[in-house]
Amino acid sequence: MQNTIKTNHIVSSLLKAREERWQTKLALSRHGWHVVSLQLNLAGYPKTNDETEKFMKLIDGQFVKFITAHAPAKYKGEKKAFIDQAGECIIYLVPELGITAKALKDLTEMFEERHELGRIIDLDVMDSKGKPISSGKAKGCFLCDNPAEECRKTSTHTIDQVRNSMLGSINAYLIEVEKQKLINRVASNAVKALLYEVSLSPKPGLVCRASMGAHSDMDFLTFINSVSALSPFFKDIGRLAADFKSNNVALCFPRIREIGLEMEEAMNKATDGVNTHKGAIFLMALSVFSAIRVILKKKSFKSSMFSSIVQQLTKGMIQRELCDLKEGSKMSHGEACFLQYGLQGAGARGEAEQGFPSIMHHALPFMKENNTQLDKIRDIEMFDQLALVLLKIMSVNNDTNVLFRHGKDVLEELKSRSLVAIDALNNNDITPYSKLVEWCNSNKISPGGSADLLSVSVFIQFCLYD
């Protein structure tokens, strides 16, 4: 008996809410509006919860962009939103001049049909005379290909079955949308960090806007071309991180490497074979993957966990890839450097396997101590914000670009000169920095490994701001 009373009360409340909606739309249409109403075809009761509210907000944004794109200058942003016993409802008011109600209905049908959850979305149209406009099409069942009305009449599916499937699909859709937003955001941070690094000018021995540095085969535009070619791949790495189900992230390392090789091919094509970013590709690929794993788990970026995931990804890499090298065999510069200098020459691999110590223990604390602010930084402020960070990294990093080409003595002198330049810049004296730039440029000393670590440091700062 109580269940019957409760059911009757729900039905009465729904009918009352729907009648009030109808009267609201009628009243609005009399003022020269075509009226479009957005609601959800959600089975069962209640008609609203936290997920449906988020979903409606998302669909609202999508539909406004859709109608603005397909009927430019017709929709002026007039709308009303409310929640009643029938659920969330958004009413869009479209001037009757310039578009027919039939054309408007065709657009709403197109929106529903192309949306993956279009069977849950219900867009009704009433013309400026108060007449509802029908497409004449039967709404499809959410669980099968039959018309929804036919399934209701024959009780093919229970209300709970349909409702649970709908709510599950809405939840999955919301999760996927948030994942994609995260992937886009982190990938954008990676590209922006690489662009900030090359834009910092002047730099000792490194390509920047003002100079080719110690190089003769690359300039500022070479780097811009390279970063542009690399940019799409960061989303691939982000998708890998977002979709991977296991906690054993080391299983993803070969796939990250595979994408990295694709990135190197794209770089070489964009630069006519000039190596602008090989080390940065490796470090930034690890960084994008690790950042997304952290944010998905912790809902915000945590640098300590980020470092830990980088370590998990690369655990044992030096032992596997460098410890069995034989002199005389064909090897990369990094491999040759390790063979000659041991762990001091481990380069990007050594940094990664230790979780980026030059960044975690030096660059980031230094940035915090110096109140480095990269959020909405202006171009005129870039040197003051980032030159010191680059110097700090150069003062501690065993840069294999320098070690391989110039040896230990030059590397140690570079570190020493970087410390002197830091102290001088902190006292508003740029002279030692300018001398360091000249020394590196004239002696062809390019601390490219430190530049790559600067990019990752900047990337981390961007992720902390998000």
Side-chain angles (χ1 to χ4, degrees):
M1 182 68 174
Q2 287 182 338
N3 288 339
T4 301
I5 294 173
K6 183 178 179 180
T7 300
N8 289 339
H9 175 71
I10 290 172
V11 171
S12 176
S13 298
L14 286 172
L15 291 174
K16 181 180 178 183
R18 288 169 180 166
E19 177 60 27
E20 289 175 352
R21 285 187 185 187
W22 178 260
Q23 294 301 326
T24 297
K25 291 191 286 186
L26 273 177
L28 290 168
S29 69
R30 296 190 183 109
H31 294 280
W33 302 104
H34 296 315
V35 179
V36 180
S37 59
L38 168 66
Q39 50 269 318
L40 301 182
N41 284 318
L42 184 63
Y45 192 83
K47 295 295 184 182
T48 182
N49 59 29
D50 289 344
E51 280 68 37
T52 61
E53 288 186 36
K54 291 177 185 176
F55 183 63
M56 277 288 284
K57 184 177 180 180
L58 189 62
I59 300 306
D60 172 34
Q62 293 173 350
F63 180 67
V64 167
K65 286 191 278 286
F66 173 86
I67 194 171
T68 302
H70 285 80
K74 303 299 187 293
Y75 175 62
K76 303 298 183 181
E78 294 284 348
K79 65 180 179 181
K80 300 178 181 296
F82 56 88
I83 300 176
D84 56 24
Q85 292 298 313
E88 298 94 345
C89 182
I90 301 174
I91 293 176
Y92 306 91
L93 305 176
V94 183
E96 63 178 336
L97 296 176
I99 187 169
T100 66
K102 176 63 169 60
L104 203 52
K105 183 62 181 177
D106 290 342
L107 286 176
T108 64
E109 287 292 308
M110 184 193 304
F111 180 83
E112 290 180 17
E113 287 171 2
R114 81 177 197 179
H115 200 286
E116 63 182 275
L117 293 185
R119 293 187 183 186
I120 299 177
I121 300 166
D122 187 20
L123 284 159
D124 292 330
V125 177
M126 176 183 285
D127 70 12
S128 58
K129 304 294 190 294
K131 177 185 175 183
I133 307 299
S134 173
S135 66
K137 300 176 183 177
K139 200 80 173 179
C141 173
F142 191 73
L143 293 181
C144 67
D145 293 329
N146 296 325
E149 186 62 28
E150 180 181 314
C151 288
R152 276 195 293 270
K153 287 179 179 179
T154 59
S155 298
T156 305
H157 321 287
T158 67
I159 289 177
D160 283 347
Q161 285 176 328
V162 178
R163 178 181 177 80
N164 290 339
S165 181
M166 286 181 166
L167 291 176
S169 296
I170 288 173
N171 186 57
Y173 183 79
L174 291 173
I175 290 172
E176 176 55 34
V177 167
E178 289 304 308
K179 274 187 183 181
Q180 192 57 56
K181 285 181 180 178
L182 173 61
I183 291 167
N184 292 345
R185 192 167 71 245
V186 173
S188 175
N189 285 343
V191 173
K192 188 163 64 167
L194 292 171
L195 291 174
Y196 271 44
E197 183 281 314
V198 73
S199 297
L200 173 61
S201 183
K203 293 197 297 286
L206 299 164
V207 171
C208 60
R209 283 177 288 184
S211 169
M212 296 167 71
H215 303 275
S216 59
D217 58 347
M218 60 182 83
D219 59 17
F220 183 68
L221 283 184
T222 315
F223 272 71
I224 297 301
N225 293 340
S226 179
V227 173
S228 299
L230 299 178
S231 61
F233 295 94
F234 291 121
K235 289 187 180 181
D236 295 337
I237 294 166
R239 175 52 62 185
L240 176 66
D243 289 346
F244 187 64
K245 304 302 182 186
S246 170
N247 288 324
N248 185 8
V249 293
L251 297 174
C252 285
F253 187 60
R255 177 56 185 147
I256 295 173
R257 271 270 176 82
E258 188 179 344
I259 297 172
L261 291 171
E262 293 173 5
M263 295 173 79
E264 287 184 24
E265 285 184 1
M267 174 192 72
N268 288 327
K269 184 175 181 181
T271 65
D272 291 329
V274 176
N275 174 16
T276 51
H277 287 103
K278 186 172 182 178
I281 288 169
F282 175 67
L283 297 179
M284 197 63 79
L286 294 174
S287 297
V288 168
F289 181 95
S290 300
I292 286 178
R293 296 294 290 184
V294 170
I295 297 169
L296 284 174
K297 188 167 186 177
K298 296 295 185 180
K299 308 307 178 187
S300 63
F301 185 84
K302 307 291 182 185
S303 56
S304 59
M305 186 176 176
F306 167 83
S307 175
S308 176
I309 292 176
V310 172
Q311 287 178 290
Q312 293 170 44
L313 280 167
T314 57
K315 184 178 180 181
M317 178 175 54
I318 292 175
Q319 178 67 38
R320 291 191 306 271
E321 299 180 10
L322 298 179
C323 287
D324 293 329
L325 291 171
K326 303 295 183 185
E327 194 167 355
S329 59
K330 185 178 180 181
M331 59 183 68
S332 67
H333 289 175
E335 291 169 340
C337 208
F338 181 82
L339 189 62
Q340 184 173 359
Y341 297 105
L343 288 175
Q344 187 182 18
R349 290 182 180 92
E351 279 287 334
E353 193 165 335
Q354 296 176 74
F356 298 150
S358 295
I359 297 172
M360 298 300 153
H361 305 319
H362 299 282
L364 294 185
F366 185 81
M367 294 169 87
K368 185 175 182 180
E369 179 185 333
N370 286 271
N371 196 30
T372 303
Q373 298 289 332
L374 301 182
D375 188 25
K376 298 178 181 177
I377 186 175
R378 295 184 304 162
D379 190 22
I380 196 172
E381 301 166 329
M382 179 173 283
F383 181 84
D384 290 339
Q385 293 292 330
L386 289 182
L388 282 167
V389 183
L390 175 60
L391 288 171
K392 183 62 178 179
I393 294 171
M394 288 168 57
S395 74
V396 298
N397 178 38
N398 291 319
D399 198 310
T400 52
N401 281 15
V402 179
L403 196 58
F404 176 78
R405 291 177 173 84
H406 303 278
K408 278 187 178 183
D409 291 343
V410 172
L411 176 63
E412 292 308 315
E413 185 173 356
L414 178 68
K415 290 180 179 181
S416 177
R417 285 174 177 256
S418 297
L419 287 173
V420 171
I422 289 173
D423 290 337
L425 282 178
N426 280 330
N427 290 292
N428 298 315
D429 179 7
I430 199 172
T431 302
Y433 184 85
S434 298
K435 288 182 177 179
L436 176 60
V437 171
E438 174 58 28
W439 180 68
C440 286
N441 289 353
S442 60
N443 289 284
K444 306 301 180 185
I445 300 167
S446 177
S450 296
D452 296 340
L453 292 171
L454 175 64
S455 297
V456 176
S457 301
V458 172
F459 168 79
I460 291 171
Q461 285 290 307
F462 291 150
C463 289
L464 286 168
Y465 293 139
D466 286 341

